[in-house]
Amino acid sequence: MTAIRFRLNDADFAEDVAPRLSLADLLRERHNLTATHLGCEHGVCGACTVLVDGMPARACLMLAAACDDRQIHSLEGLRDDPVIAALRDSFHRRHAVQCGFCTPGMLISARDLIQRGRAGSEAEIRAGLAGNLCRCTGYTNIVSAIAEAAQTVAAQGKAA
Amino acid sequence: MKPAAFDYARPRSLSEALELLARPNVDARVIAGGQSLVAMMNLRVASPGLLVDIARLPDLGSATEEDSTVFYGACVTHAMIEDRIGPDPSNGLMPKVAETLAYRAVRNRGTIGGSLALADPAAEWPCVLAALDATAIIEGWNGKKAVACRDFVTGIYETRLAAGEILTAIWVPKLSPEARWGYVKLARKSGEFALSLVVAVRDPARGYARVVLGATDGPPLILEATSRLCGRGRAEPAAAREAVAADLARAADRQFDAFRHSLHATAALRALTQATEAAA
């Protein structure tokens, strides 16, 4: 077992983990944070994308043991995040959720695209979403919802 | 799937890491970003006995600049290169490459040294670093050695790294300001591994030109005739086609079917054109 201390959704934890435990299983099995979905478990589908030290990462490719001293946010911890709020609203109104399996990873990646200023055009958003698979193939609505949220966030930035 | 059980250690220094790797009868492997290794472990195509995590070792995580060289710690991430955090020796080639490599969530963790050390035949960095005439720095118990990146990869997932050694850094010589490059990655989907990959670098001020082909089911392949042509500047299309065809024909150890042959030739010609176009 490996002893780790980490910050998860803005609360501190200290736990012993088996080296083979992934961050995704740490979140899902120990903390009941089931927004983090596991699709492929080898880094291709993007459904398990979470934030590690503020940057998107595949929770299936991250060992829990390597999360010592790191700050983790799963989608549950971003409830009050303004960019996630804009995305939640636009995903809802534009019907960007079909079965919902890819949605948590889509939201985390979309938030990162907007924050890095990489959601300026449809082509840019599509390229930025290459690492998040939607097998309902609802990309059209997802892309337009992200474009709308990017505009909303930009307008909020100007108003502020 | 889940990986088979293994032990995990996060040493605080390079010497501690080397000590862990030297333990007898332990199938120890170095892990940096883990973006390929953990996937391989999840698929159970790799099952090391001990992982030695070097991702946060001091000095391995940043890039520094000297007169004619940029010195990359092995654990500099693809995203740091993409975002131009630190110096760029390559007139924009390396940031461009980083941007085309896998997906942002992977680039945030995956490292340049990890990519080179794993030596996936379709990976970007082994080709790019060979094309830039970079040097890999390897450290082990008996000291430090430098290996030219063009010789570092010896086969499919095979390199000059011996058991117990760690790739700690990569030196990349700076291109002159007027140097040009071409980079063509052919893949069906953004972020996928390449079906063909060509990097062409032309630096007349240093008398240097090299064109390297990747994704050939072997180590990066230096296209010698194409490189010579690249060094001479803009080529006639017929001469360019001839040089590329000759280079592909000489690569007798690789098996190109008609489809791959055509992709490689197309990628090489496009990269050559990019590298020899007049500056905008």
Side-chain angles (χ1 to χ4, degrees):
Chain A
M1 297 296 254
T2 304
I4 56 168
R5 290 169 175 280
F6 58 102
R7 204 163 164 75
L8 170 58
N9 295 340
D10 304 310
D12 291 317
F13 293 91
E15 295 181 25
D16 288 331
V17 295
R20 61 183 268 184
L21 185 77
S22 70
L23 172 59
D25 284 337
L26 175 74
L27 297 176
R28 291 179 55 84
E29 307 293 333
R30 292 227 190 151
H31 293 270
N32 204 27
L33 295 169
T34 52
T36 302
H37 290 171
L38 282 168
C40 69
E41 295 195 285
H42 61 273
V44 173
C45 78
C48 70
T49 307
V50 298
L51 297 180
V52 175
D53 294 336
M55 297 182 294
R58 302 292 205 225
C60 73
L61 296 186
M62 187 94 204
L63 301 174
C67 290
D68 189 36
D69 286 330
R70 294 202 187 274
Q71 175 153 290
I72 314 295
H73 283 97
S74 67
L75 188 62
E76 291 94 337
L78 299 170
R79 201 178 293 272
D80 301 322
D81 179 85
V83 181
I84 289 291
L87 285 162
R88 190 163 50 220
D89 182 57
S90 64
F91 267 59
H92 174 68
R93 279 185 298 95
R94 292 190 179 244
H95 187 52
V97 179
Q98 289 187 41
C99 84
F101 191 86
C102 70
T103 309
M106 286 284 179
L107 290 172
I108 300 238
S109 290
R111 176 180 179 275
D112 181 63
L113 289 178
I114 292 172
Q115 286 194 325
R116 288 189 299 116
R118 297 297 181 92
S121 67
E122 182 187 330
E124 205 172 30
I125 294 169
R126 283 186 180 273
L129 286 185
N132 292 80
L133 300 184
C134 162
R135 291 296 83 167
C136 304
T137 69
Y139 294 108
T140 300
N141 289 358
I142 294 169
V143 170
S144 77
I146 294 171
E148 185 193 308
Q151 287 178 354
T152 307
V153 170
Q156 284 167 350
K158 273 182 200 141
Chain B
M1 279 180 19
K2 314 292 180 190
F6 56 88
D7 291 323
Y8 172 87
R10 186 152 69 87
R12 304 286 153 169
S13 67
L14 188 65
S15 57
E16 200 190 323
L18 290 170
E19 209 170 293
L20 286 161
L21 289 176
R23 280 190 189 169
N25 306 320
V26 179
D27 178 19
R29 262 190 101 154
V30 172
I31 184 168
Q35 299 301 288
S36 298
L37 183 55
V38 177
M40 290 163 74
M41 288 165 60
N42 286 356
L43 292 166
R44 301 219 177 182
V45 296
S47 33
L50 169 69
L51 285 187
V52 179
D53 186 350
I54 64 164
R56 286 185 274 179
L57 280 186
D59 306 330
L60 264 55
S62 59
T64 50
E65 190 167 10
E66 282 167 28
D67 289 347
S68 58
T69 308
V70 171
F71 180 94
Y72 287 89
C75 296
V76 168
T77 65
H78 314 310
M80 289 169 70
I81 297 171
E82 176 184 14
D83 294 348
R84 297 171 189 255
I85 295 170
D88 170 27
S90 68
N91 294 359
L93 169 60
M94 290 173 71
K96 177 70 200 172
V97 169
E99 189 186 296
T100 68
L101 202 156
Y103 316 111
R104 183 70 185 189
V106 171
R107 299 199 289 272
N108 282 332
R109 303 238 71 86
T111 67
I112 186 169
S115 167
L116 182 61
L118 182 72
D120 187 301
E124 290 81 358
W125 291 128
C127 278
V128 173
L129 294 169
L132 286 168
D133 204 27
T135 303
I137 306 302
I138 296 169
E139 295 191 48
W141 269 122
N142 24 8
K144 219 182 222 194
K145 65 183 178 192
V147 177
C149 286
R150 64 174 293 173
D151 303 321
F152 179 80
V153 179
T154 55
I156 298 174
Y157 299 112
E158 286 175 358
T159 70
R160 296 273 296 275
L161 273 176
E165 291 180 332
I166 300 179
L167 171 68
T168 54
I170 298 156
W171 292 347
V172 183
K174 285 186 195 168
L175 294 180
S176 325
E178 57 279 1
R180 309 275 299 165
W181 50 264
Y183 171 60
V184 177
K185 174 179 175 179
L186 299 178
R188 278 174 296 191
K189 171 176 170 286
S190 343
E192 260 187 355
F193 274 115
L195 288 168
S196 181
L197 184 74
V198 177
V199 188
V201 173
R202 176 167 183 262
D203 193 351
R206 285 162 59 234
Y208 177 85
R210 190 176 288 171
V211 183
V212 181
L213 170 67
T216 65
D217 299 329
L221 194 65
I222 294 177
L223 302 179
E224 303 284 359
T226 313
S227 299
R228 283 193 295 277
L229 202 62
C230 182
R232 290 201 289 268
R234 190 148 205 178
E236 288 300 318
R241 279 196 299 273
E242 200 178 306
V244 169
D247 282 326
L248 293 179
R250 251 195 306 274
D253 61 328
R254 320 291 158 102
Q255 314 267 312
F256 304 131
D257 61 20
F259 174 62
R260 290 303 274 271
H261 189 279
S262 156
L263 288 182
H264 291 326
T266 301
L269 290 169
R270 287 184 191 167
L272 180 65
T273 304
Q274 288 175 14
T276 53
E277 272 171 352

